Amino acid sequence: MNRRSFTRAVGLGAGATAVSAIGLPTAAATTTGRAGGSRGPAPTVPTVVPGTHTEFAALKQVRAGVLDIGYAELGPAHGPAVICLHGWPYDIHSFVDVAPLLAAEGYRVVVPYLRGHGTTRFRSADTFRNAQQSAVALDVIALMDALRIDKAVLAGFDWGARTADIIAALWPERVRALVSVGGYLVTDVAAQAKPLAPAAEHTWWYQFYFATERGRLAMESPVDRPALCRLVWNTVSPGWQFDDATFARTAAAFENPDYPAVVIHNYRWRLGLAAGEPEYDAYERKLAARPRITVPTVTLDPALDPFAAPGDGSSYRSFFTGRYLHRTLGGVGHNLPQEAPTAFAQAVVDADHL
């Protein structure tokens, strides 16, 4: 993550707002910018209890760039596209309740496994298992091209939010609207060379663990890997009472043979401990300049997420120069779309109607 995101680990500031039990904003929730713009007023998404759905009916595969990407797809084939992007250590099941809600609103919902996850595979054994931020973003552009999606609403959290932010910043013509959990997450590798407050560093323990050989071996271990990932779930979503079956459905995605290499490279690259590839240098230079995002955007902060920024979104507000809404959701942790699917789906619909 960038340095701003690192600093978020210190904790949530006093600006956190009240929300209802299902995660939808109450009257006290922060809303800045204009809603109900050129696309008319947004419909209200029906409430769904988290965990109502457990599986996607079927998965598809498509060749896209250097990958053969596995993805779920719901909704009408000719509806406006929404691409939902997961984070680490998660998978497409973060959107298992969100996708049906959006499909019912007429959207074509595409939920891909990121590189190294689930049924997504590298097409060549010779391809470097690179997970630097611009490479992952270009995977999504290649997916859109393969599926003949000219423009989509991009919605994500963690790695997925960063990927969506990057595409919105560098290729705004491909983005109809944006939903970004955590705000502006573009990585600034140079800034991360400097130490942070101890509380912030402590929250990122696994990032430093992955910088070691022991961390790499843990990610390769079929015993240690799921235990480590489950510990992260418990730590960053302290109020989420998920069961063993819920974790097991996602943990199956960690059995991808490229998973350890992709995860380790991602976190080492962020700290400047692993090189990227020269073909992405031009994109990384643009991202180092901290480009602003001009597309209609809804940003979400989960109040129980240890990475949530102090200041109720104010620390990253200047990076979004288009039509904009911000919401802080009480009682919700890092895996926001799975913990509060109605609120996440509503954010997608609202972003699309800004």
Side-chain angles (χ1 to χ4, degrees):
M1 282 192 175
N2 59 28
R3 184 164 180 82
R4 195 276 303 163
S5 302
F6 243 126
T7 307
R8 294 163 58 194
V10 176
L12 186 72
T17 56
V19 295
S20 69
I22 60 171
L24 288 174
T26 68
T30 300
T31 302
T32 58
R34 293 191 292 122
S38 60
R39 292 177 184 137
T44 300
V45 175
T47 300
V48 65
V49 175
T52 295
H53 303 88
T54 59
E55 297 284 358
F56 290 100
L59 296 181
K60 300 180 179 181
Q61 297 286 140
V62 65
R63 288 190 172 189
V66 300
L67 300 175
D68 186 347
I69 296 179
Y71 65 100
E73 182 172 356
L74 285 76
H78 299 292
V82 176
I83 300 177
C84 296
L85 300 169
H86 67 80
W88 182 88
Y90 305 97
D91 80 330
I92 63 174
H93 289 88
S94 289
F95 303 99
V96 73
D97 284 320
V98 169
L101 289 172
L102 294 175
E105 296 296 327
Y107 290 99
R108 177 189 182 188
V109 187
V110 176
V111 190
Y113 283 110
L114 298 184
R115 59 170 55 193
H117 294 71
T119 61
T120 292
R121 295 289 188 273
F122 287 88
R123 294 171 60 186
S124 171
D126 297 329
T127 302
F128 175 50
R129 273 40 179 174
N130 182 355
Q132 70 184 102
Q133 61 183 355
S134 56
V136 179
L138 284 165
D139 290 343
V140 178
I141 294 291
L143 173 66
M144 294 174 68
D145 290 344
L147 298 181
R148 299 184 179 180
I149 297 173
D150 178 62
K151 183 176 287 193
V153 179
L154 300 183
F157 74 107
D158 197 89
W159 290 21
R162 178 177 301 104
T163 302
D165 287 351
I166 290 168
I167 297 171
L170 298 187
W171 298 280
E173 70 279 2
R174 305 302 299 270
V175 182
R176 180 180 172 103
L178 171 69
V179 175
S180 180
V181 177
Y184 191 85
L185 300 184
V186 177
T187 297
D188 184 347
V189 174
Q192 293 193 165
K194 297 180 180 180
L196 298 167
E201 303 282 24
H202 177 268
T203 303
W204 284 100
W205 66 271
Y206 58 85
Q207 179 159 302
F208 304 118
Y209 185 43
F210 292 158
T212 70
E213 183 66 6
R214 287 171 64 177
R216 184 187 67 80
L217 291 173
M219 288 305 294
E220 292 181 349
S221 165
V223 174
D224 295 335
R225 179 174 58 243
L228 187 155
C229 292
R230 184 159 186 156
L231 175 60
V232 172
W233 278 34
N234 289 325
T235 302
V236 301
S237 292
W240 184 29
Q241 301 300 314
F242 62 89
D243 58 20
D244 291 344
T246 297
F247 179 77
R249 281 187 289 269
T250 288
F254 311 158
E255 300 303 314
N256 184 306
D258 296 311
Y259 187 79
V262 165
V263 172
I264 293 299
H265 183 263
N266 178 281
Y267 287 102
R268 290 184 179 181
W269 177 85
R270 292 194 214 180
L271 292 177
L273 301 176
E277 292 181 282
E279 64 193 271
Y280 302 107
D281 285 352
Y283 304 115
E284 297 298 345
R285 283 193 294 270
K286 290 179 180 179
L287 294 171
R290 318 298 281 158
R292 268 42 182 177
I293 292 174
T294 60
V295 305
T297 299
V298 175
T299 57
L300 302 171
D301 274 344
L304 297 184
D305 186 350
F307 306 122
D312 202 23
S314 61
S315 60
Y316 53 71
R317 175 65 181 91
S318 63
F319 289 104
F320 300 94
T321 60
R323 296 188 295 276
Y324 181 81
L325 296 172
H326 172 79
R327 293 168 183 156
T328 294
L329 304 181
V332 180
H334 190 69
N335 186 9
L336 190 154
Q338 197 162 2
E339 296 179 60
T342 303
F344 190 88
Q346 187 66 57
V348 171
V349 173
D350 290 345
D352 190 36
H353 286 77
L354 283 175

